[in-house]
């Protein structure tokens, strides 16, 4: 029996459900706050329903009304990462199935964990401030009082008032704008999201934004300094959308826009509906496109089942790659993913329960659990099942059917597994031979390593072995042409292979720079691995380059490991802590909190710096 509660939320989805949110937000850059009024349409799931609990975090709640009658409310004790429950006493009891409109007037805190406020110097244009949100996993409650659990899906409408030189966009369809009747120096932008979705997908951005059309249902948004480059980089969007539709079924969200954020965004991308968020370092949009089906349409019921979002999304992303670039490319990416999984298991420790495919998150902050495990362990399970069930076409048939069956709802691992057994009812004997306990509930690497085809990886393996075995007198045999024939994906793999071995001698690293000139490479995935290798081989000149990359962008995938590598280089440990202290205030709150833990700096101060 799956418990009917979400360990990351105070709200109870067995007692009532939010069906719709109507938001009125006023954004104030001087004070770094949003003044908000939210009307929640709530349905009672039991008789004599009289107390509604919402999630909040650092919100100043001004007043509450229920069907326009003032209502009593109380804020409970503050929890370290869940925030504070808001208990609202309804002025009358509800019967099962009855709806009520609950209106909460509130203000966010300047330190709201969902929001990052950038001053003009932190933007490309240097003239206007910028605001963006990141609500996944449990930060929406710091922006909006709500039932902040992925088990609950609702539609939303919003009106956002911003200074007239700025533009607001949200994870919804744009629905017009007007001068703010309360203040002619401001504009109100209107949005509607008619497809029910979880609270973590509510997103807002305010800045000096421009857009360019890149397809029949797509625009790219960014500051004007980046917009033409972004339009060029994401020009394959419509092809990928069509490929995904062929695989997974129709795209239901109407618009598919991409917003290119300033570099401090902590993730590579965020699949906000109608408006994917991407960082300047995101090279492939296929993952975020795939989330339009797996994650946004079919959603994990709690964060313990996050692999249902991410494992299926990686599977679908690699199927898009297969359609566009062939099966050897998919095999190659799968091999790279297995290495990423090994890295995560090594970082957490092979006995750490957070490396379970389905971890328990009782008293665990979901941000602390974030890693490549749900992505790559999830993918490895799906690929293993694909091999057992009869190949990619057969298994993609199941994935498409699963998406269509559970569309617009939230699911658990049991729901998924029960349907797997139903869909493949003639192969139940094969499914029963899978060691489900080892895959789902056991830490460390999966019980089975799939045999991936190494065609595209062979050149990377051969070159990495040459470097590993080379003596000093052999170094003259390396040439620039070694890497000229490799794709950027293969160069990434070559460097990843070296990172899985003992550090190379410094003489080798200097020779590698001399012949391949990797210091000048701007591909962030290559640069990141190259700088990790250099610092690991104790090449002191690489330390400032590694710290520069760790601080000039804020993607946690790059920033955290680079800081860790320098921290582990004893001579530069203090330098890593000093650099973090100097840049901390400009970093995203989620990123700075996790880097502080990595560098063993007191999370609330820069003590010991």
């Amino acid at each position: 029996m799956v418990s009917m509660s979400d360990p990351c939320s105070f709200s109870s989805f067995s007692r009532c459900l939010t069906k719709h949110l109507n938001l009125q937000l006023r954004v104030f850059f001087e004070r770094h706050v949003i003044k908000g009024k939210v009307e929640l349409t709530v349905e009672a799931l039991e008789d004599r329903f009289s107390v509604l609990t919402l999630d909040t975090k650092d919100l100043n709640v001004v007043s509450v009304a229920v069907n326009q009658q003032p209502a009593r409310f109380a804020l409970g004790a503050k929890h370290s990462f869940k925030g504070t429950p808001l208990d609202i006493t309804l002025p009358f009891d509800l019967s099962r199935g009855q709806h009520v409109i609950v209106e909460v007037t509130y203000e966010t805190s300047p330190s709201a964990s969902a929001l990052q406020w950038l001053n003009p110097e932190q933007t490309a244009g240097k003239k206007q401030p910028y605001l963006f949100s990141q609500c996944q996993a449990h930060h929406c409650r710091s922006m909006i009082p709500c039932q902040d659990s992925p088990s609950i899906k609702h539609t939303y409408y919003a009106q956002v008032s911003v200074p007239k030189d700025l533009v607001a966009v949200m994870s919804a369809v744009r629905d017009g704008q007007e001068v703010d009747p309360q203040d002619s120096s401001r504009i109100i932008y209107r949005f509607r999201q008619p497809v029910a979705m979880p609270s973590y997908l509510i997103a807002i951005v305010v800045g000096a934004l421009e857009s360019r059309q890149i397809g029949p249902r797509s625009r790219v948004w960014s500051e004007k300094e980046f917009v033409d480059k972004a339009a060029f980089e994401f020009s394959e969007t419509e092809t990928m959308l069509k490929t995904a539709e062929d695989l997974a079924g129709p795209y239901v969200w109407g618009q598919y826009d991409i917003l290119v954020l300033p570099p401090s965004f902590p993730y590579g991308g965020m699949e906000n509906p109608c408006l994917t968020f991407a960082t300047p370092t995101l090279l492939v949009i296929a993952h975020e496109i795939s989330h339009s089906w797996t994650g946004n349409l079919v959603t994990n019921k709690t964060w313990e089942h996050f692999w249902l979002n991410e494992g299926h999304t990686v599977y679908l992303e690699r199927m898009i790659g297969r359609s566009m670039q062939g099966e050897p490319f998919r095999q190659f990416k799968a091999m790279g993913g297995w290495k990423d999984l090994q890295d995560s298991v090594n970082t957490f420790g092979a006995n750490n329960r957070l490396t379970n495919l389905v971890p328990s998150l009782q008293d665990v902050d979901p941000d602390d659990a974030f890693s490549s495990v749900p992505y790559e362990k999830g993918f490895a399970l799906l690929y293993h099942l694909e091999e057992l069930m009869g190949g990619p076409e057969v298994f993609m048939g199941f994935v498409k059917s699963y998406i269509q069956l559970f569309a617009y709802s939230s699911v658990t691992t049991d729901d998924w597994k029960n349907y797997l057994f139903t869909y493949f009812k003639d192969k139940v004997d094969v499914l029963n031979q899978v060691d489900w306990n080892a895959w789902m509930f056991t830490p460390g690497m999966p019980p089975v390593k799939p045999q991936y085809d190494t065609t595209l990886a062979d050149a990377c393996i051969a070159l990495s072995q040459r470097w590993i075995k080379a003596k000093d007198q052999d170094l003259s045999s390396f040439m620039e042409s070694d890497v000229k024939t490799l794709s950027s994906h293969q160069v990434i793999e070559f460097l990843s292979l070296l990172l899985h071995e003992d550090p190379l001698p410094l003489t080798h690293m200097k020779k590698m720079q001399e012949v391949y000139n990797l210091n000048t490479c701007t591909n962030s995935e290559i640069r990141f691995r190259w700088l990790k290798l250099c610092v690991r081989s104790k090449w002191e000149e690489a330390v400032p380059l590694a710290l520069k990359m760790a601080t000039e962008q804020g993607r946690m995938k790059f920033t955290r490991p680079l800081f860790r590598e320098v921290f582990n280089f004893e001579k530069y440990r203090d330098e890593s802590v000093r650099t973090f202290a100097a840049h901390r205030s400009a970093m995203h709150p989620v990123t700075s909190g996790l880097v502080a833990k990595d560098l063993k700096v007191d999370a609330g101060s820069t003590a010991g710096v």
Side-chain angles (χ1 to χ4, degrees), residues 256-274:
Y256 183 83
D257 286 3
I258 299 168
L259 173 99
V260 179
L261 284 149
S264 62
F265 187 61
Y267 300 96
M270 179 62 210
E271 64 276 10
N272 299 312
C274 308

Side-chain angles (χ1 to χ4, degrees), residues 315-388:
Y315 186 82
L316 186 49
E317 165 197 0
R318 289 183 184 150
M319 288 298 282
I320 293 173
R322 176 178 187 260
S323 298
M324 292 174 71
Q325 291 177 274
E327 176 65 11
F329 180 74
R330 182 175 81 122
Q331 294 286 323
F332 179 72
K333 296 304 277 185
M335 283 183 70
W338 185 268
K339 281 198 191 56
D340 291 342
L341 177 57
Q342 286 176 313
D343 290 342
S344 277
V345 169
N346 291 341
T347 301
F348 275 117
N351 296 319
N352 189 319
R353 290 204 300 279
L354 292 181
T355 64
N356 289 12
L357 190 59
V358 186
S360 165
L361 293 184
Q362 205 64 48
D363 303 316
V364 176
D365 183 338
D367 286 344
D368 290 346
F370 185 80
S371 76
S372 63
V373 169
Y375 297 73
E376 296 297 349
K377 205 177 204 179
F379 171 82
L381 172 58
L382 295 174
Y383 184 85
H384 177 56
L385 292 170
E386 171 196 298
E387 291 193 303
L388 293 176

Side-chain angles (χ1 to χ4, degrees), residues 332-601:
F332 179 72
K333 296 304 277 185
M335 283 183 70
W338 185 268
K339 281 198 191 56
D340 291 342
L341 177 57
Q342 286 176 313
D343 290 342
S344 277
V345 169
N346 291 341
T347 301
F348 275 117
N351 296 319
N352 189 319
R353 290 204 300 279
L354 292 181
T355 64
N356 289 12
L357 190 59
V358 186
S360 165
L361 293 184
Q362 205 64 48
D363 303 316
V364 176
D365 183 338
D367 286 344
D368 290 346
F370 185 80
S371 76
S372 63
V373 169
Y375 297 73
E376 296 297 349
K377 205 177 204 179
F379 171 82
L381 172 58
L382 295 174
Y383 184 85
H384 177 56
L385 292 170
E386 171 196 298
E387 291 193 303
L388 293 176
M389 293 297 105
E393 284 82 2
V394 173
F395 198 73
M396 194 60 223
F398 161 73
V399 173
K400 183 174 184 175
S401 179
Y402 158 77
I403 291 165
Q404 302 308 316
L405 179 69
F406 291 109
Y408 310 104
S409 61
S410 299
V411 292
T412 63
T413 299
D414 278 350
D415 298 327
W416 169 86
K417 188 178 163 196
N418 290 338
Y419 186 59
L420 177 76
F421 274 71
T422 304
Y423 184 90
F424 290 114
K425 55 182 182 295
D426 51 346
K427 296 180 179 158
V428 166
D429 50 338
V430 184
L431 288 173
N432 278 328
Q433 286 166 17
V434 173
D435 188 345
W436 294 103
N437 188 56
W439 275 101
M440 304 276 184
F441 306 110
T442 308
M445 293 301 288
V448 178
K449 179 179 180 180
Q451 290 305 301
Y452 298 120
D453 171 4
T454 63
T455 306
L456 288 177
D458 287 339
C460 317
I461 295 166
L463 185 59
S464 66
Q465 285 301 317
R466 275 182 63 202
W467 279 98
I468 291 160
K469 296 192 169 116
K471 304 279 184 281
D472 281 357
Q473 62 268 27
D474 306 324
L475 291 179
S476 56
S477 69
F478 292 103
M479 310 278 179
E480 186 187 356
S481 54
D482 300 341
V483 289
K484 276 285 171 277
T485 53
L486 301 183
S487 70
S488 58
H489 299 285
Q490 288 174 304
V491 176
I492 291 166
E493 176 64 10
F494 158 69
L495 295 171
S496 298
L497 287 161
L498 293 177
L499 283 166
H500 280 257
E501 303 288 337
D502 291 335
L504 288 173
L506 189 49
T507 46
H508 287 49
M509 296 307 295
K510 289 185 171 175
K511 182 66 179 180
M512 196 181 294
Q513 167 54 24
E514 186 190 314
V515 288
Y516 303 160
N517 195 14
L518 290 167
N519 277 341
T520 57
C521 181
T522 56
N523 175 314
S524 49
E525 297 282 352
I526 294 175
R527 186 168 185 78
F528 163 63
R529 288 169 177 81
W530 164 244
L531 291 174
K532 272 177 71 173
L533 270 178
C534 292
V535 174
R536 221 173 260 190
S537 295
K538 303 209 176 337
W539 191 353
E540 299 193 26
E541 280 136 54
V543 169
L545 299 176
L547 290 173
K548 184 169 188 279
M549 185 175 184
T551 52
E552 69 185 6
Q553 56 76 50
R555 190 171 168 189
M556 288 198 287
K557 172 182 179 179
F558 301 145
T559 293
R560 291 182 70 189
L562 286 168
F563 265 119
R564 279 201 296 259
E565 289 292 342
V566 177
F567 183 77
N568 290 334
F569 188 168
E570 196 67 50
K571 185 174 175 182
Y572 289 92
R573 175 162 292 186
D574 291 348
E575 180 68 14
S576 70
V577 176
R578 273 200 300 276
T579 304
F580 170 59
H583 289 85
R584 183 174 196 160
S585 60
M587 292 169 85
H588 188 277
V590 173
T591 313
S592 63
L594 290 166
V595 174
K597 287 181 182 174
D598 293 339
L599 304 188
K600 305 179 175 49
V601 176

Side-chain angles (χ1 to χ4, degrees), residues 24-54:
Q24 291 174 38
L25 305 175
R26 298 179 66 81
V27 178
F28 293 100
F29 279 95
E30 326 62 69
R31 294 178 47 225
H32 286 188
V33 299
I34 295 176
K35 288 190 169 191
K37 187 163 90 173
V38 58
E39 296 170 346
L40 304 98
T41 305
V42 177
E43 178 184 345
L45 297 182
E46 60 184 21
D47 286 330
R48 295 188 300 284
F49 180 72
S50 62
V51 178
L52 166 68
T53 301
L54 299 178

